[in-house]
């Protein structure tokens, strides 16, 4: 690279990753940084994220534990987090006037509970770094040209850059990656992650709004299973157990065209065997009690009533004269209730796509392309996605930061 000429760095995408890259790239007199955004708005996902509060990251001090929350990219983030991890995110925002707080489930938000605080902070910082902000700049092609990159824009003049950061987020369809096709990177076909399960015309829908604190949901015929709170909705099942399962099963479920069977254990403190033993003991202790009045199970009364109906037990049924066949049916319904899932519903609170730029073609130490020197990647454009809880933004901060530091290091050479 010619040391004397002014260098142009173009960051494509005005979202979390692009902004963090621009914000953490220290201003230099020999460089101009342009941040291009195709829409008319900066940081639009940050604005709506976390129900308008922005779930910035997830409180966690173990890189290995955190990495497990990424169904795609686990091995890659293990490496990137060594350079910029959760404590670095917390310190960076604190140093720039934004205190983060952790909630009981370890999700972290700004103490203002307002995503605008994060936007204001990033906007201030990129202004200080003298980044040139360009809205309505839609990149349509990137052409390698004598060691530099010609960036074609919709309806505007080309820009020639020495270094390009691709931080354009994820796209739901493969052809939406066409604008970067000249770079020849392998793209893993995108499929949705983080969705809820549709169970059409099932009587359980009468119980919409009810939840159980600890259920286990398994996809029949696979090893896929997840536990956690489970919510009954008017169209099917939702809640953390289902969302996590949708993320880890994203590829398999897409292949099954969202038509599959699940088994639900509503009382995941027990398995079928221990539940059977528990209920046998309860029966011996309370023979005259009506089954409907059973105490001590972590299940709303209306769901318990539904389970009894599904097990052909009437409201007057007492434990003492419960036939063994119906006892077995009850245990089965509680520990392995079967549903046919037909379709999915996008989880609007935090929608991400699985798929994107093949990680084997990106250097995890620098975020530079292994195919083209001077091309960097950051954020959801990569084949990295996390479950809900602040993991996706943490990936955006980490990869944006690493790209910025390594671009600076390259310019020093
Ligand atoms: C409703 C919602 C809520 C969410 N809440 C959370 C949350 O609380 N916590 C969390 O961790 N994650 C959350 N996520 C996920 C998180 O928002 C994303 O993972 C994250 O925004 C990815 O950042 P990014 O910068 O890579 O991409 P994006 O934020 O998608 O930004 C990419 C930008 O690039 C622009 N762009 C695309 N193509 C071009 C082009 N050709 N030329 C120029 N510009 C282009 C896009 O317009 C966009 O503005 C949420 C997602 C949604 C949809």
């Amino acid at each position: 690279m010619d040391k004397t000429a002014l260098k142009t760095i173009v960051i494509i995408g005005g979202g979390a990753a692009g902004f963090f890259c621009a914000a953490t790239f220290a201003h230099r007199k020999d460089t101009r940084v342009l941040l291009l955004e195709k829409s008319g708005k900066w940081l639009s996902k940050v604005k709506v994220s976390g129900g308008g509060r922005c779930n910035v990251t997830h409180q966690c001090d173990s890189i290995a534990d955190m990495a497990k929350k990424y169904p795609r990219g686990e091995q890659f983030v293990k490496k990137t987090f060594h350079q910029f991890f959760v404590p670095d995110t917390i310190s960076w925002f604190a140093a720039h006037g934004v205190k983060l707080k952790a909630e009981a489930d370890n999700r972290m938000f700004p103490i203002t509970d307002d995503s605008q605080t994060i936007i204001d902070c990033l906007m201030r910082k990129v202004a200080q770094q003298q980044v040139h902000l360009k809205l309505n700049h839609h990149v349509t092609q990137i052409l390698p040209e004598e060691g530099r990159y010609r960036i074609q824009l919709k309806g505007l003049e080309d820009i020639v850059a020495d270094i390009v950061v691709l931080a354009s987020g994820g796209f739901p369809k493969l052809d939406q990656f066409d604008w970067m096709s000249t770079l020849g990177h392998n793209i893993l076909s995108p499929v949705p992650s983080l969705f809820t399960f549709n169970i059409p015309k099932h009587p359980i829908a009468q119980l919409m709004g009810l939840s159980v604190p600890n259920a286990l949901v398994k996809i029949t015929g696979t090893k896929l299973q997840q536990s956690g709170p489970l919510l009954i909705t008017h169209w099917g099942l939702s809640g953390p157990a289902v969302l996590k399962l949708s993320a880890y099963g994203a590829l398999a479920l897409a292949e099954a065209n969202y038509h599959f069977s699940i088994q639900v254990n509503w009382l995941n403190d027990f398995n079928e065997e221990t539940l059977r033993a528990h209920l046998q003991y309860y029966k011996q202790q309370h023979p005259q009690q009506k089954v409907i009045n059973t105490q001590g199970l972590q299940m709303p009364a209306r769901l318990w009533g539904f389970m009894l109906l599904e097990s052909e037990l009437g409201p007057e049924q007492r434990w003492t004269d419960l036939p063994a066949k119906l006892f077995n049916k009850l245990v089965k319904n509680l520990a392995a209730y079967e549903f046919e899932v037909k379709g999915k519903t996008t989880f609007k609170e935090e929608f991400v796509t699985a798929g994107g730029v093949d990680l084997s073609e990106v250097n995890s130490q620098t975020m530079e392309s292994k195919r083209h020197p001077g091309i960097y990647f950051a954020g959801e454009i990569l084949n990295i996605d996390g479950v809900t809880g602040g993991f996706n933004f943490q990936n955006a901060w980490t990869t944006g930061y690493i790209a910025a530091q390594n671009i600076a290091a390259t310019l020093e050479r």
Side-chain angles (χ1 to χ4, degrees):
M1 207 178 282
D2 177 0
K3 273 237 161 210
T4 52
L6 185 72
K7 310 288 183 314
T8 299
I9 301 175
V10 169
I11 303 173
I12 303 170
F19 260 82
F20 208 65
C21 182
T24 55
F25 180 80
H27 172 65
R28 308 165 53 105
K29 285 210 177 76
D30 63 354
T31 311
R32 75 178 176 137
V33 179
L34 278 72
L35 182 51
L36 312 183
E37 166 56 47
K38 73 174 174 189
S39 76
K41 268 193 198 155
W42 301 115
L43 295 161
S44 52
K45 275 198 196 168
V46 170
K47 180 72 183 165
V48 298
S49 66
R53 296 197 297 144
C54 188
N55 180 191
V56 176
T57 185
H58 196 89
Q59 191 171 51
C60 178
D61 50 21
S62 154
I63 288 179
D65 288 349
M66 184 91 172
K68 286 194 191 112
K69 305 296 180 173
Y70 295 83
R72 266 93 17 213
E74 179 179 346
Q75 298 309 321
F76 195 88
V77 299
K78 269 190 193 160
K79 295 179 197 142
T80 59
F81 285 162
H82 275 289
Q83 291 196 55
F84 194 88
F85 191 40
V86 175
D88 304 305
T89 305
I90 299 169
S91 316
W92 190 90
F93 278 104
H96 295 87
V98 179
K99 264 197 166 169
L100 303 180
K101 55 159 182 178
E103 303 209 326
D105 57 5
N106 290 327
R107 288 181 305 156
M108 298 197 78
F109 296 88
I111 53 166
T112 56
D113 278 328
D114 186 354
S115 57
Q116 191 60 40
T117 311
I118 301 296
I119 296 178
D120 292 344
C121 168
L122 292 171
M123 291 303 290
R124 258 194 324 268
K125 191 64 190 169
V126 296
Q128 272 170 19
Q129 306 286 28
Q130 301 182 30
V131 176
H132 300 262
L133 298 175
K134 310 273 182 197
L135 284 175
N136 302 308
H137 277 55
H138 185 168
V139 176
T140 53
Q141 205 62 262
I142 305 172
L143 304 168
E145 190 177 275
E146 294 162 15
R148 303 177 85 203
Y149 296 95
R150 175 170 295 277
I151 295 172
Q152 296 184 333
L153 295 154
K154 197 171 177 179
L156 295 168
E157 284 206 358
D158 299 354
I159 300 171
V160 178
D162 298 279
I163 289 171
V164 185
V165 182
L166 279 72
S168 57
F171 300 103
K173 292 195 182 128
L174 192 58
D175 61 8
Q176 290 169 306
F177 287 86
D178 282 354
W179 61 277
M180 53 170 286
S181 61
T182 43
L183 298 177
H185 273 278
N186 184 35
I187 308 291
L188 290 129
S189 206
V191 293
S193 183
L194 301 178
F195 48 84
T196 66
F197 296 168
N198 294 356
I199 303 171
K201 299 198 183 104
H202 195 283
I204 194 104
Q206 304 154 19
L207 304 181
M208 66 178 171
L210 287 189
S211 62
V212 292
N214 184 16
L216 178 74
V217 186
K218 288 184 184 176
I219 297 178
T220 316
T222 74
K223 287 188 179 154
L224 293 163
Q225 60 175 56
Q226 287 293 324
S227 59
L230 181 68
L231 173 69
I232 300 166
T233 67
H234 70 278
W235 65 86
L237 294 175
S238 177
V242 165
L243 290 167
K244 282 189 280 176
L245 195 52
S246 78
Y248 288 98
L251 304 183
L253 301 183
E255 219 158 86
N257 204 18
Y258 306 104
H259 205 143
F260 54 96
S261 321
I262 54 168
Q263 283 188 348
V264 176
N265 176 353
W266 303 94
L267 297 165
N268 188 35
D269 293 339
F270 301 99
N271 59 32
E272 196 166 326
E273 205 179 313
T274 56
L275 180 66
R276 184 183 303 281
H278 177 82
L279 292 180
Q280 284 287 10
Y281 183 73
Y282 192 94
K283 181 179 168 189
Q284 282 160 17
Q285 297 297 306
H286 307 89
Q288 294 310 319
Q289 196 182 57
K290 289 181 183 166
V291 180
I292 190 90
N293 294 331
T294 302
Q295 298 294 309
L297 294 173
Q298 295 275 307
M299 178 177 273
R302 282 177 61 215
L303 181 58
W304 178 246
F306 179 85
M307 288 295 144
L308 299 193
L309 271 180
E310 291 287 290
S311 313
E312 299 170 54
L313 304 182
E316 297 305 317
Q317 177 69 57
R318 290 179 195 276
W319 279 110
T320 183
D321 47 15
L322 177 60
K325 195 174 154 208
L326 298 189
F327 179 86
N328 287 339
K329 192 161 185 179
L330 176 63
V331 171
K332 190 91 189 149
N333 280 333
L334 292 171
Y337 193 97
E338 290 190 16
F339 289 103
E340 272 295 294
V341 177
K342 287 184 188 151
K344 61 169 180 15
T345 300
T346 302
F347 181 60
K348 302 272 182 338
E349 284 292 298
E350 188 178 331
F351 178 70
V352 290
T353 41
V357 172
D358 191 337
L359 299 177
S360 68
E361 299 182 350
V362 180
N363 181 339
S364 59
Q365 296 303 314
T366 60
M367 302 315 300
E368 192 170 16
S369 159
K370 290 182 185 170
R371 285 178 170 268
H372 297 277
I375 294 283
Y376 290 77
F377 295 98
E380 212 186 303
I381 188 173
L382 293 158
N383 183 29
I384 299 176
D385 62 276
V387 297
T388 65
F391 301 99
N392 289 303
F393 278 142
Q394 184 57 54
N395 175 52
W397 314 134
T398 296
T399 49
Y401 174 87
I402 296 176
Q405 305 320 299
N406 284 282
I407 292 167
T410 308
L411 294 170
E412 282 303 316
R413 266 180 233 139

